[in-house]
Each structure stands twice: as C-alpha cells, then as structure tokens.
Amino acid sequence: MKLPSGPWAPARDAAGALAEATSTCRGITTLSAEVGVSGSIGGQGIHGRLLVGLASPASARVEAVAPFGQPVFIFVARAADATLLLPRDDRVLEHGKPEALLETVTGVPLDAASLRTTLTACPLAPDIDSGRSSGDGWRVIADGSTEVYLRRESPSTRWSVAAMVHRGSGAAGDAAWRAEYADLQNGLPRTVRLVSADTKRFALRLTLSQLEINTALDAEVFRVQVPRTATPISLQELKAAGPLRNNAGRAGGHEPPSP
C-alpha cells in the first residue's frame, strides 16, 4: 500500500473521521477467529493456520493447529505474563513476556492488547490533536509511536483504517513495521498484511474467517494445561528453534513455499 507523504495540513475533522472508522472496533471486548497465515519470517516461507481468542484488556490465546495430531504451539497471555507450550516437543516456556514469546514464534512483536488492536484495526489511545490531512482522502493520527492512516475513496464514502505504521525505536529503525487492512466486512478487516520495514524480518498475510465478536470467553481459554512431562525451554532455545517457521508445513498441511 502506498501511503501519502504529504503535504500535510491540520485536520479539523480528525475526531469525526476516526470515530467513523473505528465505530465497530471500539465496541469489541472479545474476539475469536480462524486466521490463515502465509508469507515469510526471517526469509523463510510459511503457510499455516491459527486459532485466535482475544479479550480486553490484555488476554490472548493463539494455537498453531495442524491437520492431524497436536498443535504446533499454544500461546496464552494474561496481562504481562505468558506461557508457550510446544506439545509436539513436550517443551514449555512459562512466565515470559507476551511480546517476546509471540515475536519469537511469529516474527511480530505483539502482546495480547496490541494483537487485539492490530487484528481489529483499532488504535489504543489516539491523539486527536495530532490529526493531519492530505487532500480529501487521507488523514493521519498519532497513537503513541504509531501513526494511524485513515482513508476514504470519496467524500461520500466512509472513513476506514487503511494502515497502522509502528515506528522503530532503535537507531537503525529495525523495529519498524506496519499493518495494512483490506476486505472490510461490517466495519472490520478480513485481510491484514504485516510487514517489517526491511521485509526480511517478516512479511505476512493474515486472512480472518469464522470471526465472532463479543461472545463469552471463559477464563480457562487463557490458561494452558502444562503436562508434567514437559521440559522447560529458554527464550534463547526458542529463538533457535522457531517453531512456527520450522513446523509451517505441518501447521498448514503443505510444504512451506519458497520465500
């Protein structure tokens, strides 16, 4: 997606544009979906399927399922505490940082709260006073270190969130990445493209289906039963293993495509 680079002017209608674009997502407290994943992580092609359950303010469950047998991994998080179970290897990492664990297995640095906002295209704490405009069709609003791009095809169509650009914190900007949104249905995207600034870290296409919002999710959804036989694994070992990448073919039922 080609985003505008300016010239920019103050956007007096930023509040109204954002309210229109996020009218559906702002009311979401829980979400469950099946997510098809394709693309590459670290230059290696992947193809898989995830089952995702999310609840506000910061609970998440992500399973990388396989056509047969046990899941490739089960990730659960509540607030700042996360567990990653690798059932096929009978290994587990408990009490880790959610964003660190999820980045290791999927490539994308997301905790439970930001995973929910990313999949629903819903900013966390937008600064309306920062709103800027580029012509009739684009508005951009700051949300912390993220820039939220709003788009409409014409003055008679609704605003929607087209992209969320996360600025890198490192000197080289190596943490920078963006989420792009398409195929909106009932105000929510069904296609989400996640791509890092250098494209080498990750370039993923997520396709959401079986989407359910605001249905009750029991607290047990966000817990995982760790077998007594499970052997602890360190974050360093997990990074070396890269379960989703190495098991992408099993998770999706196909051989991983070439990058």
Side-chain angles (χ1 to χ4, degrees):
M1 181 182 295
K2 183 174 176 58
L3 300 176
S5 57
W8 297 99
R12 297 183 179 86
D13 62 348
L18 182 67
E20 185 172 271
T22 61
S23 60
T24 299
C25 73
R26 283 183 286 112
I28 294 177
T29 57
T30 69
L31 176 149
S32 59
E34 181 175 310
V35 181
V37 183
S38 61
S40 65
I41 302 173
Q44 181 176 348
I46 69 158
H47 185 91
R49 185 167 62 95
L50 306 175
L51 299 181
V52 177
L54 306 168
S56 62
S59 296
R61 183 185 183 99
V62 180
E63 290 190 27
V65 299
F68 303 102
Q70 296 178 307
V72 177
F73 71 78
I74 301 173
F75 166 89
V76 295
R78 288 178 295 171
D81 184 70
T83 295
L84 183 76
L85 177 65
L86 309 177
R88 296 181 171 217
D89 299 325
D90 200 22
R91 306 199 72 177
V92 64
L93 196 163
E94 297 183 271
H95 306 302
K97 292 183 177 181
E99 61 273 24
L101 299 193
L102 203 55
E103 181 177 15
T104 301
V105 294
T106 68
V108 189
L110 293 171
D111 59 16
S114 55
L115 177 60
R116 177 170 51 85
T117 61
T118 297
L119 292 184
T120 58
C122 210
L124 278 171
D127 177 11
I128 299 301
D129 293 336
S130 70
R132 295 172 291 155
S133 66
S134 179
D136 290 332
W138 288 94
R139 301 291 184 269
V140 63
I141 299 171
D143 181 19
S145 61
T146 299
E147 290 184 336
V148 181
Y149 285 79
L150 310 179
R151 184 184 183 185
R152 64 180 178 182
E153 295 295 333
S154 70
S156 63
T157 58
R158 291 179 60 86
W159 289 101
S160 64
V161 177
M164 298 173 72
V165 178
H166 304 264
R167 300 301 181 188
S169 57
D174 56 355
W177 60 281
R178 68 164 67 176
E180 300 175 356
Y181 301 99
D183 303 326
L184 267 67
Q185 297 180 29
N186 300 320
L188 295 176
R190 294 300 190 271
T191 300
V192 181
R193 183 171 181 259
L194 307 178
V195 59
S196 58
D198 59 8
T199 70
K200 294 179 181 178
R201 290 172 55 224
F202 57 86
L204 301 171
R205 178 186 176 92
L206 311 182
T207 304
L208 281 67
S209 61
Q210 308 299 318
L211 186 65
E212 295 186 12
I213 61 174
N214 294 341
T215 57
L217 295 179
D218 191 90
E220 290 301 314
V221 171
F222 306 109
R223 298 188 180 98
V224 59
Q225 189 70 35
V226 178
R228 293 183 179 180
T229 57
T231 302
I233 184 174
S234 69
L235 185 61
Q236 290 71 26
E237 290 174 309
L238 183 63
K239 289 179 178 180
L244 181 56
R245 290 178 297 226
N246 292 347
N247 292 283
R250 288 191 293 180
H254 303 284
E255 290 300 318
S258 299

